Amino acid sequence: MFVAIDGPGGVGKSTVTKAVVAQARAARIPVHPTREPSDTTLGQLARHGTDEYREMALACLIAADRYQHQEREIRPAVARGDLVVSDRYVASSLVLQVLDGVGRDIVWELNRHADMPDIQVVLNARADVVAQRLSGRGAHSRYEREAGGTERECALFREAARFLMASGVRVLQLDASSAGSEEVARTIVTAIKEMWTRGRS
């Protein structure tokens, strides 16, 4: 089973992802945590190259890392019966690469051959809440440093969720404006358990 967790920078996505992994393990579900960009050489190039690479160059680099990630890590883990939980996946490309000036249809064409998650979590919050959290932890990328970027990113994640649902992906949208990471993670793990149990019955 494959679950991806995406959301705007500062929403608490990585914290929620860690809580999901911990709660799933506590429920005796074998978990393989991962992230995108991946920890491969290609992924590190993408992760640390957002200031150097832009538009189509970055979109293609992210997609290339995704396909390698899928072949070398995601599919093998799913095949051995693990729950794969990825911090970022295609939904983030449908937002960040669009923010970078690449059309959504082009981004989708680059990524539509990737395995879609069994559950795509889109974690969002009010833009003012996200902006406050970002100011507390500091920006991690140029997307987070751009004026007005948080408002656009939150709006584009809502659009990405609708687009993925229309494309047949099971999307779980959650609002983290006031809910804590453990509470949000419990909601996600409940959905995981339901599908996990059905898949093994």
Side-chain angles (χ1 to χ4, degrees), residues 37-49 53 57-58 60-69 72:
S38 72
D39 290 319
T40 64
T41 301
L42 183 58
Q44 289 303 305
L45 181 64
R47 181 177 296 278
H48 300 294
Y53 307 111
L58 183 58
C60 290
L61 180 57
I62 294 287
D65 175 55
R66 178 162 296 129
Y67 286 114
Q68 179 173 264
H69 186 208
R72 294 190 178 182

Side-chain angles (χ1 to χ4, degrees), residues 4 9 24 29 35 53 59-60 73 75 83 87 94 119 134 198:
I29 296 173
R35 65 178 183 168
Y53 307 111
C60 290
E73 190 173 350
R75 284 180 176 173
L83 164 67
D87 181 342
L94 290 168
I119 302 175
L134 269 180
R198 285 201 305 269

Side-chain angles (χ1 to χ4, degrees), residues 31-132:
V31 187
H32 179 90
T34 189
R35 65 178 183 168
E36 289 197 349
S38 72
D39 290 319
T40 64
T41 301
L42 183 58
Q44 289 303 305
L45 181 64
R47 181 177 296 278
H48 300 294
T50 54
D51 285 321
E52 181 176 356
Y53 307 111
R54 294 172 183 262
E55 300 174 355
M56 275 297 288
L58 183 58
C60 290
L61 180 57
I62 294 287
D65 175 55
R66 178 162 296 129
Y67 286 114
Q68 179 173 264
H69 186 208
Q70 170 183 281
E71 292 294 331
R72 294 190 178 182
E73 190 173 350
I74 295 172
R75 284 180 176 173
V78 170
R80 66 176 176 259
D82 288 354
L83 164 67
V84 174
V85 180
S86 183
D87 181 342
R88 291 201 183 277
Y89 198 61
V90 171
S92 287
S93 285
L94 290 168
V95 173
L96 300 180
Q97 273 63 75
V98 170
L99 278 174
D100 216 17
V102 182
R104 187 183 65 187
D105 290 345
I106 295 173
V107 176
W108 180 244
E109 185 61 29
L110 287 171
N111 290 278
R112 68 184 180 89
H113 298 291
D115 296 343
M116 290 298 123
D118 297 292
I119 302 175
Q120 169 63 67
V121 178
V122 176
L123 188 62
N124 217 326
R126 296 195 320 271
D128 63 304
V129 173
V130 176
Q132 185 176 14

